[in-house]
Amino acid sequence: MSDLTLRPPRTAGTSRPRPGARAGLLRAVLVRIGTALLVLLCTATVSFFLVRLSGDPVKQLLPPDATAQQESVLRAGLGLDRPLITQYLDFLWGLLRFDFGNSISYNEPVGHVLAERLPATLELAAALVVTLVIALPAGIVAAMRRGRASERGIMTGVLLGQSTPPFWVGILLILVFAVGLHALPASGYGTFANLVLPAVTLSVYSVAVVARLLRSSLIDVLSSDHIRTARAKGFGPVKTVLTHGLRNASLPVVTVIGLEVGSLLGGAILTERVFSWPGVGQLTIEAISNRDFPLVQAAVLFFAATFVVINLLVDLSYSLLDPRVRTSR
């Protein structure tokens, strides 16, 4: 009996990923996770040594007329009298147990201090929503109406958005909407009105970057053969872009959105300072000023871990967006 009689017929849509492809994808995921952990280890090491080069916190915690004995007692209580390598090894052991130590300024576990400020920073994620709501339609319109007045207007706004520092945007918004129009509060936390100006400030630059890149990617995709085939079949321009063009143009856009999330976190430090927003960024500036070693280290690791995890997810999402990436692994 031939092999053909033993094999069930293969129907369309029932093909399964090859074992080799699944093993390759799993290997790629493990490699990226290992790389992410290595990045976090390097970040933790650099932050540990840099904060100790910034100065001695004992001098700030004690009055100017403190004796040498008082300084020695406090330094021993903070664990700063031990050899630097011993402090570093204890720091790494604490990281493995998710124990960041006690805050010097707040005299309580660093994890509790960060947990209290984390919700305020997460609320600023509304800036990413603003970015997507404005940037995606703007990029699509600019690509579809190339050479027209609407595209020139959008690209002018993109140029202004990319050329303006976020902290200057925040100050300008305060002058216009808080001081001039008295429409929104200049600072504070707890209401939707307090969130509007910080979220808009953070999103201005990201809107410009995402819209500009989406326009460029769509222009390249719209000149490809499969788009011309879709148009020949009678698809309208909007359906062609949304059905066939947007997904093919999404890879570089998704990459930039992942990077912009990291930029939003970095910009949140200055934005929270401008608007007196009680988030992790404001807490980081206070910890640096007070030379609060454990709190600075934990805040830096929080920003680094968020950036690394988001970029890892973006990298893995390529397999869902483009089958060519999935089959090449």
Side-chain angles (χ1 to χ4, degrees):
M1 186 180 295
S2 64
D3 292 340
L4 293 176
T5 60
L6 300 177
R7 295 175 182 173
R10 181 175 298 176
T11 57
T14 61
S15 60
R16 298 178 179 178
R18 296 170 298 172
R22 290 197 298 267
L25 179 60
L26 178 61
R27 184 166 53 251
V29 171
L30 294 177
V31 169
R32 282 160 175 77
I33 292 176
T35 304
L37 294 176
L38 181 61
V39 169
L40 292 179
L41 175 61
C42 294
T43 303
T45 301
V46 171
S47 64
F48 174 86
F49 288 102
L50 283 182
V51 295
R52 277 155 180 78
L53 293 175
S54 64
D56 188 0
V58 174
K59 299 291 186 181
Q60 288 189 324
L61 295 174
L62 291 176
D65 58 347
T67 64
Q69 183 179 3
Q70 290 174 324
E71 292 182 4
S72 300
V73 171
L74 180 58
R75 189 172 285 107
L78 297 175
L80 300 177
D81 60 331
R82 297 172 299 167
L84 190 60
I85 186 63
T86 303
Q87 297 181 43
Y88 176 65
L89 294 177
D90 289 343
F91 168 66
L92 293 182
W93 174 241
L95 290 184
L96 293 177
R97 296 179 291 115
F98 295 96
D99 181 11
F100 300 98
N102 288 336
S103 169
I104 297 176
S105 304
Y106 292 88
N107 195 26
E108 59 179 297
V110 168
H112 294 170
V113 179
L114 285 177
E116 292 176 355
R117 299 292 190 99
L118 186 58
T121 296
L122 292 180
E123 286 185 21
L124 290 181
L128 181 61
V129 177
V130 175
T131 298
L132 297 178
V133 169
I134 298 177
L136 296 183
I140 293 173
V141 171
M144 294 180 62
R145 302 184 66 84
R146 188 179 179 186
R148 301 184 183 180
S150 55
E151 187 221 11
R152 288 193 290 270
I154 292 173
M155 297 312 297
T156 300
V158 164
L159 179 61
L160 292 175
Q162 286 190 280
S163 306
T164 308
F167 69 89
W168 187 86
V169 173
I171 295 173
L172 183 63
L173 291 177
I174 290 175
L175 291 175
V176 174
F177 293 98
V179 178
L181 300 177
H182 300 285
L184 294 169
S187 62
Y189 171 73
T191 65
F192 178 77
N194 295 121
L195 179 62
V196 173
L197 292 185
V200 172
T201 299
L202 278 176
S203 64
V204 168
Y205 180 82
S206 299
V207 166
V209 172
V210 174
R212 183 173 185 175
L213 182 63
L214 180 59
R215 169 189 172 274
S216 301
S217 299
L218 272 177
I219 288 176
D220 292 337
V221 171
L222 292 178
S223 62
S224 58
D225 293 335
H226 73 281
I227 295 297
R228 286 193 290 267
T229 302
R231 289 173 176 171
K233 291 181 178 180
F235 287 101
V238 176
K239 186 175 181 180
T240 301
V241 170
L242 296 180
T243 305
H244 300 281
L246 191 58
R247 181 171 181 177
N248 289 278
S250 62
L251 281 182
V253 177
V254 169
T255 301
V256 169
I257 290 175
L259 295 174
E260 284 304 306
V261 171
S263 299
L264 290 177
L265 289 175
I269 297 178
L270 293 177
T271 303
E272 289 179 8
R273 190 69 171 177
V274 171
F275 292 97
S276 299
W277 191 263
V280 179
Q282 177 84 341
L283 180 66
T284 304
I285 295 178
E286 296 172 359
I288 293 173
S289 302
N290 297 328
R291 294 188 178 91
D292 192 339
F293 293 170
L295 192 52
V296 173
Q297 293 164 179
V300 170
L301 276 178
F302 164 74
F303 287 116
T306 304
F307 191 90
V308 167
V309 169
I310 289 175
N311 281 275
L312 176 63
L313 295 176
V314 168
D315 193 14
L316 296 178
S317 69
Y318 291 165
S319 300
L320 300 176
L321 294 173
D322 193 341
R324 294 172 298 180
V325 178
R326 181 166 59 247
T327 56
S328 64
R329 287 177 172 173

